[in-house]
Amino acid sequence: MSLRRFILKRLLLTVPILFGVSVITFALVHLTPGDPISQMVAENPNVSQAEEAQLRAQYGLDGTLWEQYATWIGNVLSGDFGDVYGSSQSVAGVLISRLPETIALGLFGWVFALVIAIPTGVYAAINKDKFGDTASRIIALSGISIPNFWLGLMLILVGALWLGWWDVGAPRTAVYHPEMLWFLILPGITVGTAAAASIMRVMRTSMAEELNKEYVVAARAKGLPERKIILKHVLRNSMISVVTLAAMLTASIVAGSVVVETVFNWPGLGRELVQAIHGHEINLIMAITLFTGFFIVLANLLADILYAVLDPRIRYD
Amino acid sequence: MSLLEVNDLTVKFYTEEGVVNAVDNLSFSIDRGEKFGVVGESGAGKSVTALSVMRLIESPGHIESGEVLFNGENLLEMSDEEIRSIRGNEIAMVFQDAQTALNPVYTVGEQISETIRHHLGYDETEAKERSIQLLDTVGIPDAESRFSDYPHEFSGGMQQRAIIAMALSCDPDLLICDEPTTALDVTIETKILQEIETLADEFDTAIQLITHDLGVVADVCDRVMVMYAGKPVEKAPVEELYYDPKHPYTVGLMSSIPRIGDERERLQTIPGTMPDLVDLPSGCSFHPRCPYAEESCTRSEPALVDPETGAVATDDDEHVAACLEYTGELTDGLGYEVTVRDSSDDAEVETVAGAKASSAVDTDVPDAGGDRRD
Amino acid sequence: MTKTTDGRGRIQITGFDADEVKEREPLSDWQETSGGEAVGRWTRVWERFKRNRTALIGLTIVAVMSLLAIFARPVEVMGLTVQPISLAPYPPEEILWIRHDVSQNTPPSWSHPMGIDGEARDVFSRVLAGGRYSISIGFVVVAITGTIGLVYGSISGYFGGWIDEVMMRIVDMILAFPALILAMIIVSMFGGGYWQLVAAFTIFGWATYARLMRGEVLKIKENEYVMAAKALGARDRLVIFRHIVPNAVPPLIVYATLQIGTVVIGVAALGFLGLGMDPGTAEWGTMLENGRNAIIPGPGGDIRWWITVFPGAAIFLFVMSMNMIGDGVNDALDAQETGVAGGGDK
Ligand code: SF4
């Protein structure tokens, strides 16, 4: 019962944050000196003052900032993100067509990260300061240090150019086709590497820390087998810090996908955002940014709830 | 045959600062149902002794040599499988700080029944039933509903009771209590000690009680071993230790127990601190702190001997001590004196002595000059 | 006096004279080792850090790479040459086939150890000088954001209540966005360039420091000495900066060290996305963006790996070294923490 109340409270706290997220998104685009209309006008000197005013009206860029924000958020809440200037497609349509690509990539990266990181982290903690631990620590340190765009380029260099296993500009199948898994490997690894490395490091540290706690000695003194002590007692305690980190990593995977999609020419939201930024497509920029913010807030919410489920002490604090 | 017999146990820790001689050539034995006390300041090697008995010394620690015979079998030579079937089952442990000894993310009940399921092969419901019974036995009210509480929902005293319940869950032959009451306040301390004592009698369990508090030992134990810097310095039946302490360190511990009605102006505590076990003083490790130390104490290391005869201690000796005095190597002797006054002699102390008739030393103030932490 | 047989009676010990020990000459030259630790807190941290070989390697690499970046080309401040040394064999922007006998896309050789890129520029010279932007932006951004975050977090944590609530909700909102995406948008609005990049990472970059700082302040606030200072009527500003900040900074320092690497990658990533410096600039990320078409095999089917491998490797090496330092600082400070707390408490 207290868990439910906790979740409810967290949900309520999310509302003002989501509001703030929308304000920041809006402000980013509207408060900075480069107003998109003035940029359009600057690029195209033929636009007359009247036309400029008309453009502003068309894109909801007239009136006071608050009025503009109110119009925008009102539209957004009713599912209308406006149009893409360049192609006059609806932004919502673009989002819907690009989203599955990004989700596929992110999910692959996530699964890759967890599958690699948790067992390695556990292994490293148990074999602390032995060879395997040292090796995995160096790899993890490299993993958090390697720029993902370069990692992507290097994977292409090796996988596509030297080994010839992938085609650089390969024709792609539909997202839901099983063959996609093959194409996902390189970008998926690129997106997941940093997350894998961070999770591994945290897993190792928190696991090593937990292993030093007295309840572990107590569990051994009870005669429980080591395997059970680690998998039942220690793992659950160390997962608490990993879960918190995992939420933060959602942000890293989202940000990573922007770069990685560009490297691999992956037709997802991230590449779309980069193109939108180059083309000053403010509706698209705002929509994707807002979407990203929402997604991360929700991921944090989920992490908090998971945290409460894993750690019984938290609900009462 | 003794229940537990530790022979020539040596444990070392290989740390960055050097090799720590945590336990050096230690021997003792505990009989079935006996209550055995291990006393010393923190850092004396008491806890390491306890953990070694259960073979729970972790790297960088290492049991160098010796044997730990439990019912005649050497625990140090057992396979991991075998030793695990003894831990928690035949030898159980009560920890100093119950709060840290309990896993915060599992319910207290689960942590007790887990042991029962593991060792006794009970199923879920049977184990739960027995756990509730045990919680009830150790004096936790409303045990049925407390079963599914988490450790943080228990008070400190209750957590320690739960730990005791856990330790007793498989009816062990030996219960090792490592400073079981240090983390608790004085009023609860007495209750928990009584609880341990009665339960041990009830379950017919031997106790190895580790403490820095001579008062606690007086209340509970039959025999005592005093440890200093990883070595035993005196072993004796509890009464003899109090009325006729042989080792200057024991004397120091006793004279630093504050007593009501004491005529001395201030307490005589043992000067200085326990030496760093990496770099032990030469000869008798106690010499930098011993008021009776002489030149010879820095040169030769005293062996445990029978203080009457000076002959090297054997298993049959009840009372042994490790001081050069008893091998005749001291010129000036030990200049302390133990006086025992009958309570009727002295009106001032009558009430105190009367109230604490069962123990020789007042235990109201628990600290025996040692650090409360370990 | 004889023992009472029934165990009753009181024991009194006389003749155990502690003073005797204190007054006499030490019998042997053995000495108590504890208590001799009069060295300051930061000295001890430094001592520990020095013993960490990995961290020292990192420190060396960072120092060397920073020096190389400074001395690769002369530095001019307002027309005045303040640094005349030029280690790079060619000006990084120079197109070599005009004056030298080289052609585009030449693989590494003795005269051009990292090869020639697609615009006929010397990759080695470009890599040497390329760290200037990312590295200096990294340090500048961390200095500014760290300071802002420190002040913001201290205020929030120290005053608590609704001030804290509001201030932290703002931080939550900022942290809902990946820093890179915020930076991208800011750069797209301000345009590219050095100070624009600094702004892009600074405007929101302080939020994590603020959160960290607040957490530390909340912990320290409960300490007795702070309570005492407040009770004695010390002014808030004094309490914060005299008593709280010095004790709260260790985690901030660790984060800052790691953050330098993150910003360096971020700057390079923006460069790679074409949002950083001007396209031809010798900046590691921008170089990779220029070299992207090099991943498609050249006319003869040859792989022009050197164009992408070296600039990226430079970023990787720098960031890795920075992270090695960060880990070292963390270990040194952590050990310190436990050394002070000294067990006992849970
Ligand atoms: S041997 Fe010497 S130093 Fe050691 S206890 Fe006896 S008198 Fe004191």
Short mmCIF file of all heavy atoms in Angstrom, two decimals, chain C residues 256-297:
data_model
loop_
_atom_site.label_atom_id
_atom_site.label_comp_id
_atom_site.label_asym_id
_atom_site.label_seq_id
_atom_site.Cartn_x
_atom_site.Cartn_y
_atom_site.Cartn_z
N ALA C 256 34.18 16.78 -11.76
CA ALA C 256 34.76 17.76 -12.67
C ALA C 256 35.85 17.11 -13.53
O ALA C 256 35.92 17.34 -14.74
CB ALA C 256 35.34 18.94 -11.90
N THR C 257 36.68 16.29 -12.91
CA THR C 257 37.76 15.65 -13.67
C THR C 257 37.17 14.80 -14.79
O THR C 257 37.63 14.84 -15.93
CB THR C 257 38.60 14.75 -12.75
OG1 THR C 257 38.59 15.28 -11.45
CG2 THR C 257 40.00 14.63 -13.26
N LEU C 258 36.13 14.03 -14.43
CA LEU C 258 35.53 13.18 -15.46
C LEU C 258 34.80 14.03 -16.50
O LEU C 258 34.73 13.67 -17.67
CB LEU C 258 34.56 12.19 -14.82
CG LEU C 258 35.19 11.24 -13.80
CD1 LEU C 258 34.13 10.43 -13.08
CD2 LEU C 258 36.18 10.30 -14.49
N GLN C 259 34.28 15.16 -16.06
CA GLN C 259 33.48 16.01 -16.93
C GLN C 259 34.31 16.63 -18.05
O GLN C 259 33.82 16.85 -19.15
CB GLN C 259 32.79 17.09 -16.08
CG GLN C 259 31.87 18.02 -16.84
CD GLN C 259 30.65 17.29 -17.35
OE1 GLN C 259 30.48 16.10 -17.08
NE2 GLN C 259 29.81 17.97 -18.11
N ILE C 260 35.59 16.89 -17.75
CA ILE C 260 36.45 17.47 -18.80
C ILE C 260 36.44 16.56 -20.02
O ILE C 260 36.23 17.01 -21.15
CB ILE C 260 37.88 17.68 -18.27
CG1 ILE C 260 37.87 18.78 -17.21
CG2 ILE C 260 38.83 18.05 -19.41
CD1 ILE C 260 39.20 19.01 -16.53
N GLY C 261 36.60 15.27 -19.77
CA GLY C 261 36.57 14.31 -20.87
C GLY C 261 35.25 14.35 -21.62
O GLY C 261 35.21 14.34 -22.85
N THR C 262 34.15 14.42 -20.85
CA THR C 262 32.83 14.43 -21.48
C THR C 262 32.67 15.65 -22.38
O THR C 262 32.14 15.54 -23.49
CB THR C 262 31.74 14.44 -20.40
OG1 THR C 262 32.07 13.48 -19.43
CG2 THR C 262 30.39 14.12 -21.00
N VAL C 263 33.13 16.80 -21.90
CA VAL C 263 32.98 18.01 -22.72
C VAL C 263 33.86 17.91 -23.97
O VAL C 263 33.43 18.27 -25.07
CB VAL C 263 33.35 19.27 -21.90
CG1 VAL C 263 33.36 20.51 -22.78
CG2 VAL C 263 32.38 19.46 -20.76
N VAL C 264 35.06 17.37 -23.81
CA VAL C 264 35.93 17.21 -24.98
C VAL C 264 35.22 16.35 -26.03
O VAL C 264 35.19 16.70 -27.22
CB VAL C 264 37.29 16.60 -24.57
CG1 VAL C 264 38.06 16.15 -25.80
CG2 VAL C 264 38.09 17.61 -23.78
N ILE C 265 34.63 15.25 -25.59
CA ILE C 265 33.89 14.42 -26.54
C ILE C 265 32.71 15.20 -27.12
O ILE C 265 32.42 15.14 -28.31
CB ILE C 265 33.39 13.12 -25.87
CG1 ILE C 265 34.58 12.20 -25.59
CG2 ILE C 265 32.38 12.41 -26.77
CD1 ILE C 265 34.19 10.81 -25.17
N GLY C 266 32.03 15.95 -26.26
CA GLY C 266 30.87 16.71 -26.71
C GLY C 266 31.24 17.72 -27.79
O GLY C 266 30.57 17.82 -28.82
N VAL C 267 32.32 18.46 -27.56
CA VAL C 267 32.77 19.45 -28.55
C VAL C 267 33.08 18.74 -29.86
O VAL C 267 32.66 19.16 -30.94
CB VAL C 267 34.01 20.20 -28.03
CG1 VAL C 267 34.62 21.04 -29.13
CG2 VAL C 267 33.63 21.07 -26.84
N ALA C 268 33.79 17.63 -29.74
CA ALA C 268 34.15 16.89 -30.95
C ALA C 268 32.91 16.36 -31.65
O ALA C 268 32.82 16.37 -32.88
CB ALA C 268 35.11 15.75 -30.60
N ALA C 269 31.92 15.91 -30.84
CA ALA C 269 30.70 15.38 -31.45
C ALA C 269 29.98 16.47 -32.22
O ALA C 269 29.50 16.24 -33.34
CB ALA C 269 29.79 14.79 -30.37
N LEU C 270 29.91 17.67 -31.64
CA LEU C 270 29.28 18.77 -32.37
C LEU C 270 30.05 19.06 -33.64
O LEU C 270 29.47 19.28 -34.71
CB LEU C 270 29.21 20.02 -31.50
CG LEU C 270 28.23 19.97 -30.33
CD1 LEU C 270 28.20 21.29 -29.62
CD2 LEU C 270 26.83 19.61 -30.82
N GLY C 271 31.37 19.03 -33.54
CA GLY C 271 32.19 19.23 -34.73
C GLY C 271 31.87 18.18 -35.77
O GLY C 271 31.70 18.47 -36.95
N PHE C 272 31.74 16.96 -35.29
CA PHE C 272 31.45 15.85 -36.20
C PHE C 272 30.09 16.04 -36.86
O PHE C 272 29.89 15.66 -38.01
CB PHE C 272 31.49 14.54 -35.42
CG PHE C 272 31.13 13.35 -36.24
CD1 PHE C 272 32.05 12.81 -37.13
CD2 PHE C 272 29.88 12.77 -36.14
CE1 PHE C 272 31.72 11.73 -37.91
CE2 PHE C 272 29.55 11.69 -36.92
CZ PHE C 272 30.46 11.16 -37.81
N LEU C 273 29.14 16.61 -36.13
CA LEU C 273 27.81 16.81 -36.70
C LEU C 273 27.75 18.08 -37.54
O LEU C 273 26.69 18.47 -38.02
CB LEU C 273 26.76 16.89 -35.58
CG LEU C 273 26.57 15.62 -34.75
CD1 LEU C 273 25.65 15.89 -33.58
CD2 LEU C 273 26.03 14.50 -35.61
N GLY C 274 28.90 18.73 -37.69
CA GLY C 274 28.95 19.94 -38.50
C GLY C 274 28.40 21.14 -37.76
O GLY C 274 27.96 22.11 -38.36
N LEU C 275 28.38 21.09 -36.43
CA LEU C 275 27.81 22.18 -35.65
C LEU C 275 28.85 22.90 -34.81
O LEU C 275 28.52 23.68 -33.94
CB LEU C 275 26.70 21.64 -34.72
CG LEU C 275 25.45 21.13 -35.41
CD1 LEU C 275 24.60 20.34 -34.44
CD2 LEU C 275 24.66 22.28 -36.00
N GLY C 276 30.12 22.59 -35.03
CA GLY C 276 31.13 23.17 -34.15
C GLY C 276 31.84 24.34 -34.79
O GLY C 276 31.24 25.37 -35.09
N MET C 277 33.12 24.16 -35.02
CA MET C 277 33.92 25.20 -35.61
C MET C 277 33.65 25.23 -37.12
O MET C 277 32.96 24.38 -37.66
CB MET C 277 35.41 24.91 -35.36
CG MET C 277 35.74 24.57 -33.93
SD MET C 277 35.36 25.89 -32.78
CE MET C 277 36.54 27.12 -33.29
N ASP C 278 34.25 26.22 -37.80
CA ASP C 278 34.10 26.29 -39.25
C ASP C 278 34.61 25.01 -39.89
O ASP C 278 35.56 24.40 -39.39
CB ASP C 278 34.90 27.48 -39.79
CG ASP C 278 34.25 28.78 -39.36
OD1 ASP C 278 33.03 28.75 -39.11
OD2 ASP C 278 34.97 29.79 -39.24
N PRO C 279 34.01 24.60 -40.99
CA PRO C 279 34.32 23.30 -41.58
C PRO C 279 35.80 22.99 -41.76
O PRO C 279 36.23 21.87 -41.52
CB PRO C 279 33.61 23.37 -42.93
CG PRO C 279 32.49 24.32 -42.72
CD PRO C 279 32.93 25.30 -41.68
N GLY C 280 36.63 23.93 -42.16
CA GLY C 280 38.02 23.57 -42.43
C GLY C 280 38.92 23.52 -41.20
O GLY C 280 40.07 23.11 -41.28
N THR C 281 38.39 23.93 -40.05
CA THR C 281 39.21 24.07 -38.86
C THR C 281 39.88 22.75 -38.46
O THR C 281 39.27 21.69 -38.58
CB THR C 281 38.35 24.53 -37.67
OG1 THR C 281 37.44 25.51 -38.11
CG2 THR C 281 39.20 25.05 -36.54
N ALA C 282 41.11 22.86 -37.99
CA ALA C 282 41.78 21.67 -37.48
C ALA C 282 41.31 21.43 -36.05
O ALA C 282 41.94 21.83 -35.09
CB ALA C 282 43.28 21.85 -37.53
N GLU C 283 40.16 20.84 -35.92
CA GLU C 283 39.64 20.45 -34.61
C GLU C 283 39.29 18.99 -34.77
O GLU C 283 38.76 18.58 -35.81
CB GLU C 283 38.43 21.31 -34.24
CG GLU C 283 37.88 21.11 -32.84
CD GLU C 283 36.88 19.97 -32.78
OE1 GLU C 283 36.06 19.85 -33.71
OE2 GLU C 283 36.95 19.18 -31.81
N TRP C 284 39.60 18.18 -33.74
CA TRP C 284 39.48 16.73 -33.90
C TRP C 284 38.12 16.29 -34.47
O TRP C 284 38.06 15.50 -35.42
CB TRP C 284 39.74 16.04 -32.57
CG TRP C 284 41.17 16.17 -32.11
CD1 TRP C 284 42.26 16.35 -32.90
CD2 TRP C 284 41.65 16.14 -30.77
NE1 TRP C 284 43.39 16.42 -32.15
CE2 TRP C 284 43.07 16.29 -30.83
CE3 TRP C 284 41.06 15.98 -29.52
CZ2 TRP C 284 43.87 16.29 -29.70
CZ3 TRP C 284 41.85 15.98 -28.39
CH2 TRP C 284 43.24 16.14 -28.48
N GLY C 285 37.04 16.80 -33.89
CA GLY C 285 35.71 16.38 -34.35
C GLY C 285 35.43 16.84 -35.76
O GLY C 285 34.94 16.08 -36.60
N THR C 286 35.78 18.09 -36.03
CA THR C 286 35.55 18.64 -37.36
C THR C 286 36.37 17.87 -38.40
O THR C 286 35.91 17.63 -39.51
CB THR C 286 35.95 20.13 -37.37
OG1 THR C 286 35.42 20.74 -36.20
CG2 THR C 286 35.42 20.83 -38.58
N MET C 287 37.58 17.44 -38.01
CA MET C 287 38.40 16.65 -38.92
C MET C 287 37.70 15.34 -39.29
O MET C 287 37.73 14.89 -40.43
CB MET C 287 39.75 16.33 -38.29
CG MET C 287 40.69 17.52 -38.23
SD MET C 287 42.09 17.20 -37.16
CE MET C 287 43.00 16.03 -38.16
N LEU C 288 37.05 14.75 -38.29
CA LEU C 288 36.35 13.50 -38.56
C LEU C 288 35.17 13.74 -39.50
O LEU C 288 34.86 12.92 -40.36
CB LEU C 288 35.86 12.87 -37.25
CG LEU C 288 36.93 12.18 -36.42
CD1 LEU C 288 36.34 11.71 -35.10
CD2 LEU C 288 37.51 10.99 -37.17
N GLU C 289 34.51 14.86 -39.29
CA GLU C 289 33.37 15.17 -40.16
C GLU C 289 33.87 15.36 -41.59
O GLU C 289 33.31 14.83 -42.54
CB GLU C 289 32.64 16.38 -39.59
CG GLU C 289 32.36 17.52 -40.50
CD GLU C 289 31.11 17.32 -41.36
OE1 GLU C 289 30.46 16.27 -41.33
OE2 GLU C 289 30.80 18.26 -42.08
N ASN C 290 35.00 16.08 -41.75
CA ASN C 290 35.61 16.23 -43.08
C ASN C 290 35.96 14.88 -43.68
O ASN C 290 35.87 14.68 -44.89
CB ASN C 290 36.92 17.03 -43.00
CG ASN C 290 36.68 18.49 -42.66
OD1 ASN C 290 37.58 19.20 -42.30
ND2 ASN C 290 35.43 18.91 -42.76
N GLY C 291 36.40 13.98 -42.80
CA GLY C 291 36.93 12.72 -43.30
C GLY C 291 35.88 11.64 -43.46
O GLY C 291 36.21 10.50 -43.75
N ARG C 292 34.63 12.00 -43.22
CA ARG C 292 33.61 10.94 -43.25
C ARG C 292 33.52 10.23 -44.59
O ARG C 292 33.27 9.03 -44.65
CB ARG C 292 32.26 11.51 -42.87
CG ARG C 292 31.95 11.28 -41.43
CD ARG C 292 30.70 11.98 -41.06
NE ARG C 292 29.55 11.25 -41.55
CZ ARG C 292 28.35 11.80 -41.60
NH1 ARG C 292 28.17 13.04 -41.23
NH2 ARG C 292 27.32 11.08 -42.00
N ASN C 293 33.68 11.00 -45.65
CA ASN C 293 33.58 10.32 -46.96
C ASN C 293 34.75 9.36 -47.17
O ASN C 293 34.73 8.55 -48.07
CB ASN C 293 33.47 11.33 -48.10
CG ASN C 293 34.56 12.38 -48.01
OD1 ASN C 293 35.46 12.26 -47.15
ND2 ASN C 293 34.51 13.37 -48.87
N ALA C 294 35.76 9.47 -46.29
CA ALA C 294 36.90 8.57 -46.42
C ALA C 294 36.54 7.14 -46.06
O ALA C 294 37.31 6.22 -46.31
CB ALA C 294 38.05 9.05 -45.54
N ILE C 295 35.36 6.94 -45.45
CA ILE C 295 35.02 5.55 -45.14
C ILE C 295 34.50 4.84 -46.37
O ILE C 295 34.33 3.63 -46.38
CB ILE C 295 33.97 5.45 -44.00
CG1 ILE C 295 32.69 6.16 -44.38
CG2 ILE C 295 34.55 5.97 -42.70
CD1 ILE C 295 31.57 5.92 -43.40
N ILE C 296 34.25 5.59 -47.41
CA ILE C 296 33.89 4.93 -48.66
C ILE C 296 35.20 4.71 -49.42
O ILE C 296 36.03 5.62 -49.51
CB ILE C 296 32.93 5.82 -49.49
CG1 ILE C 296 31.64 6.00 -48.68
CG2 ILE C 296 32.64 5.21 -50.85
CD1 ILE C 296 30.82 7.18 -49.10
N PRO C 297 35.42 3.51 -49.92
CA PRO C 297 36.71 3.23 -50.55
C PRO C 297 37.00 4.22 -51.69
O PRO C 297 36.10 4.64 -52.40
CB PRO C 297 36.53 1.80 -51.10
CG PRO C 297 35.44 1.22 -50.29
CD PRO C 297 34.56 2.34 -49.87
#
